[in-house]
Amino acid sequence: MGSKKSSSPYKNTFFLLFVIATFISNTGTWLFAVGSSWLMTELDSSAFMVSLVQTATLIPLFILALPTGAIGDIYNQKRIVIISQSLLILNTLIFAYIVYLDKATVFLLLLFTLLNGVGAAFSRPVLAALTPQLVKREQLRTAINLTGIAYNLSRALGPILAGSLITLYALDMPFWLDAISFGAVVLVILFWKREEQEEKLPNQRLTWAVGDSIRFLRYTPALYHSITRALLFFFPAASLWALMPLVAKEQFNGGADLYGYLLGAAGFGAVSSVIFSSYVTNKLGANKLTVLVSSILGICLFLLGFVGSPHIAIAICFISGICWQMAFTSIMTSAQYALPKWYGARGMAYFLMAMSGSMGIGSALWGLLADQTTLQYALYGAGLASAVIGFIAIVFPLDLAKDGNFTMATDLPELSISRDNDKGGWVMVNIIYSISDTLKEKTIKRIKAIRNKRYRGGAIQWRLFVSSENQNQIVESYYEISLDQLIRHQHQVTKYDRTTEKELYNWIRENGGEIERQHFQEV
């Protein structure tokens, strides 16, 4: 694609159009979020019911993100985005008409919010996985920061626009505009020219694709550290968005416009972080930075429950937005670094599952705490949790894969196995290492070091044996579900893992050892 030749993501025309389209769509999403949250305060103003609106939006993403991410990796990504966005248009138009007729109920509000969440579950993992395909790896942090800025600019403008529309016109207006906004993404994606694989790989079952991603996550510390950090950070941070309608309405006796200003301040804070985020990240590193902003966010949540002035609350929300964006960029970039192209949607699905699940559950629990105690105590609790969790999370370091090369390896050996006897069953791979007795223990240690690489590459039940007949023969053994899976995985090896494997093989041969690979097919 032409995007690969650009020296900067800011000079990449299609990427900028993609960012603009998602900005328009996200602005519409915030129109829906503010409209639905404010509608719930009129239908049922309990903190728990208001927080359920955010939960209904996020839980479908938590439940469906992994299978939809797998669908995004093995099927046509362009088609998935267009269909899901079109269904979102239809769903939102129907709900806008219901609100226009003044027929909305708590049940209908949560139902259509849930359906919008289902639509987002199909499109968001794919959309999140597009950024690494549109820019170079060294531009990834800048590109993610740019998409984050666009998202938070929509978070700043959307709520203010929604509050003004509700106050000046009618409660149904935000929903009509949200339906129209999804068309921007559809329009841009229609012109996206996907890079086709040079070699057609065998089709893959959905369950196998999910299984591959689970193994990849489990044996890639750089990815599961990022996912864990997302789980920890977004749980207390969810209270900021979940309780904001009640802060505006109950704490300050304000209307929808004040709610929009509070959310808008957080969005503008996130956008302003671009001025210094790169400098601070380079100075502190992603790990120290996320601890710092998590602690500052905790202080902000605590103060939000304490202050009595809406103007001070707006300033606090501004600082909270800065913290949110800097943590979000650091955690998401760390996850993206660890993902080869063929795991892009599934890897982002795990990140979105962690974020949406943590926020969805957190929203409900902080709302329930506010009902059982007071709104202020819920904010105090969330603030304390954010500060404490920020320090606990440091045991899961970020950016472990920042310097790794996770593009596809091009120097792979030919697969010496025939389809003639293939009956669709399992394949066993044995790699026999013949070495001198003096290097036996060192060889075993080095072979064990590539265990994670095998699992990332699709292996099942990896084992290491020593021949009972020849103690200088070490056998590395693992299974593949089918020959098709073996062929697919053979073409999905990263340069990082291939380099590690080649170093082992070269070391063995340089020390007089021999390597033989055998394949056995199930009969």
Side-chain angles (χ1 to χ4, degrees):
M1 291 176 59
S3 62
K4 297 294 183 182
K5 297 179 181 180
S6 299
S7 60
S8 165
Y10 296 102
K11 297 179 181 179
N12 184 331
T13 303
F14 185 82
F15 176 68
L16 292 178
L17 288 174
F18 173 72
V19 171
I20 292 170
T22 54
F23 163 73
I24 294 172
S25 178
N26 286 329
T27 301
T29 299
W30 278 102
L31 291 176
F32 187 98
V34 172
S36 56
S37 294
W38 198 256
L39 177 59
M40 182 61 85
T41 65
E42 295 188 355
L43 298 173
D44 188 332
S45 61
S46 75
F48 179 67
M49 292 306 297
V50 172
S51 65
L52 276 186
V53 175
Q54 178 161 279
T55 300
T57 302
L58 297 171
I59 287 301
L61 190 58
F62 173 72
I63 296 173
L64 298 174
L66 181 53
T68 57
I71 290 172
D73 276 332
I74 62 179
Y75 295 112
N76 189 302
Q77 294 180 335
K78 182 175 182 177
R79 190 174 301 165
I80 291 169
V81 172
I82 292 173
I83 292 174
S84 61
Q85 295 292 293
S86 299
L87 291 175
L88 283 169
I89 292 173
L90 179 62
N91 183 69
T92 310
L93 283 174
I94 294 172
F95 186 64
Y97 188 61
I98 292 173
V99 177
Y100 170 75
L101 295 177
D102 199 24
K103 300 293 185 181
T105 64
V106 170
F107 172 76
L108 288 175
L109 171 57
L110 292 177
L111 174 64
F112 278 89
T113 302
L114 194 71
L115 290 174
N116 262 21
V118 172
F122 276 88
S123 59
R124 286 189 65 185
V126 176
L127 290 173
L130 290 188
T131 299
Q133 298 183 47
L134 302 177
V135 301
K136 296 179 180 179
R137 181 177 177 84
E138 60 268 23
Q139 300 167 352
L140 188 56
R141 184 177 290 275
T142 302
I144 290 177
N145 202 34
L146 181 59
T147 58
I149 290 167
Y151 175 77
N152 284 289
L153 185 59
S154 70
R155 172 179 280 168
L157 298 177
I160 295 174
L161 178 59
S164 300
L165 289 172
I166 294 170
T167 303
L168 298 175
Y169 298 101
L171 191 50
D172 60 293
M173 285 296 294
F175 303 109
W176 293 113
L177 292 180
D178 178 36
I180 297 172
S181 71
F182 291 117
V185 173
V186 174
L187 184 62
V188 170
I189 293 298
L190 280 172
F191 291 94
W192 176 39
K193 295 181 180 179
R194 300 175 62 226
E195 287 185 344
E196 299 296 332
Q197 290 181 322
E198 294 183 2
E199 183 172 352
K200 179 67 175 176
L201 297 180
N203 293 329
Q204 188 175 39
R205 297 179 187 176
L206 179 61
T207 52
W208 292 356
V210 171
D212 283 351
S213 72
I214 292 173
R215 284 189 296 276
F216 186 85
L217 171 66
R218 179 181 177 185
Y219 295 100
T220 308
L223 182 57
Y224 68 68
H225 280 200
S226 304
I227 302 305
T228 303
R229 291 292 282 267
L231 280 168
L232 294 173
F233 175 78
F234 291 114
F235 176 74
S239 61
L240 181 67
W241 318 112
L243 301 178
M244 193 76 77
L246 297 174
V247 171
K249 190 168 188 176
E250 295 184 2
Q251 189 165 326
F252 299 120
N253 296 315
D257 53 348
L258 177 59
Y259 175 39
Y261 292 140
L262 291 171
L263 280 180
F268 279 119
V271 172
S272 69
S273 69
V274 69
I275 300 172
F276 49 81
S277 62
S278 295
Y279 174 80
V280 176
T281 303
N282 291 334
K283 283 291 184 181
L284 297 180
N287 292 296
K288 292 180 180 179
L289 175 64
T290 49
V291 173
L292 175 63
V293 297
S294 185
S295 300
I296 296 174
L297 179 60
I299 295 172
C300 288
L301 290 170
F302 193 91
L303 291 176
L304 192 60
F306 178 78
V307 300
S309 166
H311 298 94
I312 297 177
I314 288 174
I316 291 173
C317 287
F318 179 84
I319 298 172
S320 299
I322 294 174
C323 296
W324 175 279
Q325 175 60 24
M326 296 183 78
F328 174 85
T329 300
S330 294
I331 298 171
M332 186 174 184
T333 303
S334 178
Q336 291 274 25
Y337 280 147
L339 295 173
K341 179 181 177 180
W342 51 91
Y343 279 120
R346 282 169 286 181
M348 280 297 94
Y350 283 115
F351 176 83
L352 293 171
M353 283 174 66
M355 184 176 74
S356 60
S358 188
M359 289 184 66
I361 295 170
S363 296
L365 290 179
W366 297 121
L368 186 61
L369 179 60
D371 272 345
Q372 297 300 315
T373 56
T374 65
L375 175 62
Q376 284 70 34
Y377 280 133
L379 289 168
Y380 296 157
L384 180 62
S386 182
V388 172
I389 287 174
F391 284 94
I392 295 175
I394 197 69
V395 299
F396 301 99
L398 297 174
D399 286 358
L400 293 180
K402 183 178 180 180
D403 299 320
N405 189 339
F406 289 84
T407 56
M408 184 180 295
T410 56
D411 58 342
L412 297 171
E414 290 294 327
L415 189 61
S416 57
I417 183 171
S418 172
R419 284 185 174 275
D420 295 341
N421 299 318
D422 181 31
K423 297 181 180 180
W426 288 62
V427 176
M428 182 173 69
V429 181
N430 286 346
I431 305 174
I432 304 170
Y433 304 90
S434 301
I435 44 86
S436 65
D437 185 62
T438 56
L439 294 174
K440 178 180 176 181
E441 293 303 320
K442 191 172 183 180
T443 302
I444 290 174
K445 183 177 180 181
R446 294 192 66 155
I447 296 173
K448 285 182 176 180
I450 67 170
R451 170 177 174 268
N452 284 8
K453 175 257 184 246
R454 299 296 189 206
Y455 279 119
R456 282 196 295 270
I460 298 175
Q461 296 183 4
W462 183 92
R463 295 290 186 273
L464 197 60
F465 303 94
V466 174
S467 171
S468 59
E469 298 176 356
N470 182 354
Q471 290 293 304
N472 292 336
Q473 270 196 347
I474 302 168
V475 181
E476 180 189 2
S477 180
Y478 60 88
Y479 294 92
E480 289 273 3
I481 294 177
S482 70
L483 180 56
D484 281 350
Q485 279 285 87
L486 178 61
I487 294 172
R488 171 176 281 272
H489 294 152
Q490 173 74 3
H491 290 83
Q492 293 183 339
V493 177
T494 65
K495 289 183 178 179
Y496 174 83
D497 282 333
R498 176 61 177 158
T499 299
T500 304
E501 183 182 51
K502 286 172 64 178
E503 287 175 352
L504 169 65
Y505 292 172
N506 291 338
W507 179 82
I508 289 175
R509 292 188 177 107
E510 288 170 0
N511 285 277
E514 296 180 356
I515 303 169
E516 179 185 0
R517 185 182 293 261
Q518 299 176 345
H519 297 93
F520 298 86
Q521 294 176 265
E522 186 177 9
V523 296

